[in-house]
Amino acid sequence: MGGDFGPHCIVPASLDCLAETPSLHLALVGQTSVLEELISRYGRVDSARLKIVDADEVVEMDERPTQALRGKPRSSMRVALELVRDGHAQACVSAGNTGALMALARHVLKTLPGIDRPAMATAMPTRKGSCLLLDLGANVDCTAEQLYQFGVMGSVAAQSLGVAQPRVALLNVGIEAIKGNQQVKAAAVLLQQAVDLDYSGFIEGDGLFRGEADVVVCDGFVGNTLLKSTEGLAQLVSSRVEALCRRSLFSRLMGVLALPLLRQLRADMSPAQYNGASFLGLQGIVVKSHGSAGREDFRAAIRRAAEDVRHNLPEQLHSRLERLLATDQSTDGGIDVTTVDGMPSN
C-alpha cells in the first residue's frame, strides 16, 4: 500500500512478474477491497499463485518509525514481514516508508548474530559491470564496527551474485591512509585484519564507477546521496542527448542513426534496472523499492527478492559471519554468536 503510486503500480508489476516466472507465488498484503478492484481490471488471474492477505492499516510515507512500530499492528508492512517470520513467505518487498520498514523488520525478523544494524545494499553500474554499494540510507550515522560489518555482509552478498573473491573498499575523500574521518580510518583497520576478506583500501567516487571494487562501503548518509545523485545524473545525460539530437536537421539525422545505441545506453543506465535494495543482516529477506518506483522499477525489486531467495542469502550470511566475526567478537567483548539446532538465535 506504500510508495508514491501504491497498489496502482504494484499490482500490475506483480502480475507481470507472475507471467514471466511460472515458479513465482505472490501474496499482496493490503486493503482487500482496493486490491481486488485493481486485479479485476487485468482479466483472468492465476489464483493458485496470487493471493490477497488483508491488512487494513497503512504506514504513511511521512510517518515516524515509532508510530508504525507501536501504533499500527495491522499495517500492510508489518503483516507482510510477519508472513516471512512465520514461514508463509520467503521474502518481503515494499516501496513504503524506509525508516518504518527498517524498524519493523528489525523488530519482527531480528538481526543475524553478530550484526548491530542491517544495511541496505544495491548494485551500481560500473565500467566493468556493477558493484554492490551499502549502506544506502538505513543507517545515517555509523560506527567503525558497523562499517566493518557492512563490508563482511557485502562480501557475502557479492559472492551470492557470482563474484568469487569480492574486492571490498571503503568510500572516502581520498585513497591515502591519512584521509577521512575517524570512523572510516578505524573501519579500515578492522577490515585489514579480517580473515578471508579481500580488502582493497579506500576508494573515491570515480573509482567506484571505474569498477575498482566489487563492494563499496559507506554510511547511509553518503550512500543515499551518491545513489540519488547518480540517478539524477543519468536523467540529465539522457535529456541532454535528446535535446542535442533535436537541435538541427543534421543532428536529427545523426540521432536517428544512433537511436539503437542510445536506447541500449538508456536501458543499461536506467535506475529501474537497479531498483531493489536488499536489507542485509536480517533473519529473513526484505527488499526495499524506491518510493517513486513505477511498474518497471517494481518488477526489478521483485526479481531482486527472488534472487535473494534462490541464493538463500540469510543462511549464507549467517555461516560466513560466524567465521569472519568470531575472532573480533571474542577479543573486544562484542556480540556473542549462538545457534540453536544450526539456526541463528538472537
Side-chain angles (χ1 to χ4, degrees):
M1 304 301 294
D4 294 353
F5 307 108
H8 294 277
C9 155
I10 293 170
V11 166
S14 299
L15 297 177
D16 290 344
C17 285
L18 286 172
E20 71 184 22
T21 310
S23 62
L24 182 67
H25 291 69
L26 293 176
L28 300 180
V29 184
Q31 296 169 343
T32 300
S33 59
V34 174
L35 296 174
E36 285 181 340
E37 193 278 327
L38 285 171
I39 291 171
S40 68
R41 300 178 187 179
Y42 295 91
R44 186 180 180 85
V45 175
D46 185 354
S47 58
R49 295 199 295 131
L50 180 71
K51 67 177 181 178
I52 294 173
V53 177
D54 186 63
D56 53 2
E57 295 177 318
V58 177
V59 176
E60 303 298 336
M61 295 299 285
D62 60 351
E63 199 165 313
R64 290 184 177 276
T66 51
Q67 174 61 22
L69 186 62
R70 300 170 184 169
K72 292 188 173 179
R74 289 293 302 167
S75 71
S76 56
M77 192 178 284
R78 183 168 191 145
V79 172
L81 289 165
E82 289 174 347
L83 290 176
V84 176
R85 179 197 65 192
D86 297 337
H88 301 302
Q90 292 171 289
C92 167
V93 185
S94 174
N97 183 315
T98 303
L101 182 63
M102 177 59 75
L104 284 166
R106 290 182 67 186
H107 177 75
V108 174
L109 298 177
K110 312 302 182 188
T111 58
L112 289 168
I115 295 300
D116 296 338
R117 296 180 184 178
M120 293 172 61
T122 195
M124 295 283 286
T126 73
R127 290 184 187 177
K128 299 179 180 179
S130 66
C131 78
L132 207 62
L133 176 68
L134 69 164
D135 180 44
L136 299 176
N139 307 282
V140 176
D141 297 306
C142 295
T143 65
E145 174 68 23
Q146 287 158 359
L147 291 173
Y148 166 62
Q149 293 173 9
F150 296 169
V152 173
M153 292 192 295
S155 177
V156 176
Q159 285 184 321
S160 75
L161 297 173
V163 183
Q165 188 65 35
R167 299 163 297 162
V168 179
L170 278 168
L171 190 61
N172 200 0
V173 295
I175 61 173
E176 298 84 2
I178 62 171
K179 298 288 183 69
N181 58 31
Q182 293 304 313
Q183 293 96 316
V184 169
K185 291 178 182 178
V189 173
L190 293 174
L191 287 166
Q192 286 170 344
Q193 296 172 347
V195 179
D196 195 26
L197 189 73
D198 186 4
Y199 173 63
S200 59
F202 293 144
I203 191 172
E204 296 180 271
D206 57 346
L208 183 157
F209 293 107
R210 284 196 297 267
E212 294 176 358
D214 302 300
V215 177
V216 176
V217 176
C218 58
D219 65 50
F221 185 94
V222 172
N224 191 269
T225 302
L226 175 60
L227 178 67
K228 299 293 176 59
S229 299
T230 303
E231 292 171 352
L233 178 61
Q235 293 167 0
L236 172 64
V237 171
S238 177
S239 64
R240 287 288 179 89
V241 169
E242 289 180 1
L244 287 171
C245 289
R246 294 193 298 266
R247 180 168 291 182
S248 66
L249 179 61
F250 177 74
S251 62
R252 289 193 187 99
L253 177 60
M254 295 301 295
V256 170
L257 294 174
L259 189 59
L261 293 176
L262 293 174
R263 284 176 174 169
Q264 184 61 52
L265 177 62
R266 175 178 288 181
D268 291 342
M269 298 298 293
S270 172
Q273 181 180 344
Y274 298 95
N275 184 47
S278 301
F279 279 9
L280 302 180
L282 293 168
Q283 295 189 45
I285 294 170
V286 178
V287 171
K288 174 65 175 69
S289 164
H290 281 308
S292 60
R295 181 170 177 171
E296 181 183 353
D297 307 70
F298 201 80
R299 287 203 302 265
I302 295 174
R303 295 188 195 107
R304 173 73 270 143
E307 281 298 306
D308 288 353
V309 170
R310 275 191 281 270
H311 290 104
N312 197 7
L313 194 54
E315 184 57 36
Q316 285 199 42
L317 281 168
H318 176 235
S319 61
R320 279 287 302 280
L321 287 168
E322 278 194 309
R323 183 169 70 255
L324 289 173
L325 297 178
T327 302
D328 180 65
Q329 290 165 351
S330 65
T331 57
D332 69 0
I335 300 170
D336 184 32
V337 178
T338 59
T339 60
V340 177
D341 295 331
M343 294 302 292
S345 172
N346 237 23

